[in-house]
Amino acid sequence: HLSTHPSIHPFPVSCFLQCFSPNAALHTKDTFHPQVRAVCQVQKAGSLSFNVAKVIVVGDVAVGKTCLISRFCKESFERKYKATIGVDFEMERFEVLGVPFSLQLWDTAGQERFKCIASTYYRGAQAIIVVFDLSSVSSLTHARQWLEDAMKENDPSSVLLFLVGTKKDLSSPEQLAQTEREAIRLSEEIKAEYWAVSAKSGDGVRQFFFRVASLTFEANVLSELEKTGPRHVGDVINYVTSFTHNLYDRAPGT
Ligand code: GDP
Ligand code: MG
């Protein structure tokens, strides 16, 4: 069963928002890689296969995974839909540097309670979001195991990791600071980007998913360029410029 939620207006993204912890970030640049910008400028994205990314969400039961996704995709906190048996994903559309791009956000239907998540759930993920509850130390302790399980089905060199603490609204500033120290330490170790959010208040949720979209998009374009070789970018640019020249050539006569 696939639940697709087509948003009418894609979210436009043109730079990286600077709203993560600089010491636990995948990178801290505010612009996209120059090659990525070059490709997008010529708008040939349709011919390359980077316009969708599979993103999986894992973590202990009740840490707030489903609420996090529905806060972003449905702009609501209370869950109004019922996940059916098996896996389920939401499609969320973005427009990165003017190019259409979608995140396929996979959510479990409660199988994490029994630790019996199908390998198809994990397989081929471009981003792994490990969620823990900022008010539950044990859920952070379990994050490492969730990551290990998810990594069994994925290539470490091509997957982006995010460690997300939820229910920020429940912690006092002192509690939060203490948990965050642990979480940032773990992020550094596993090379994940750390975020603290609240699905209840919405704090950080939008920024977080924009960040996931920006980073997976950039990684997808770069890996595609690596596969096809930098010549491809040149070809695309040459094609566009020759087309433009043709138009100019013909212009006076027509
Ligand atoms: P899942 O099992 O990881 O998918 O967890 P759910 O998304 O179903 O959430 C589990 C419980 O945590 C529910 O009772 C939610 O109402 C609650 N919850 C989720 N996110 C938040 C949050 O940001 N703040 C607070 N206060 N409660 C939350
Ligand atoms: Mg759930």
Side-chain angles (χ1 to χ4, degrees), residues 26 45-46 52-53 61 90 102 105-106 115 119 121 124-125 145 159 180 187 190 197 203 205 208 210 233 236 252:
L26 290 170
V52 62
V61 68
E90 295 285 335
S102 297
L105 297 168
W106 289 61
K115 275 263 175 191
S119 53
Y121 182 84
Q145 187 59 49
V159 71
E180 286 203 310
S187 297
I190 64 179
V197 302
D203 187 7
V205 173
F208 169 64
F210 270 60
V233 190
V236 170

Side-chain angles (χ1 to χ4, degrees), residues 11 69 84 112 119 142 147 159 193 213 236 238:
F11 297 109
I69 295 172
T84 42
E112 69 275 29
S119 53
H142 297 157
L147 178 64
V159 71
E193 183 162 299
V236 170
N238 285 342

Side-chain angles (χ1 to χ4, degrees), residues 59-68 77-79 107-108 112 166-170 197-201:
D60 281 0
V61 68
V63 292
K65 303 181 295 299
T66 302
C67 287
L68 175 65
F77 176 59
E78 296 312 330
R79 190 146 58 104
D107 188 17
T108 62
E112 69 275 29
T166 54
K167 311 194 191 180
K168 195 179 171 184
D169 57 286
L170 292 180
V197 302
S198 165
K200 188 170 185 179
S201 70

Side-chain angles (χ1 to χ4, degrees), residues 175-186:
Q175 259 181 323
L176 188 64
Q178 195 184 338
T179 317
E180 286 203 310
R181 268 196 299 278
E182 292 294 314
I184 288 177
R185 195 174 306 150
L186 178 62

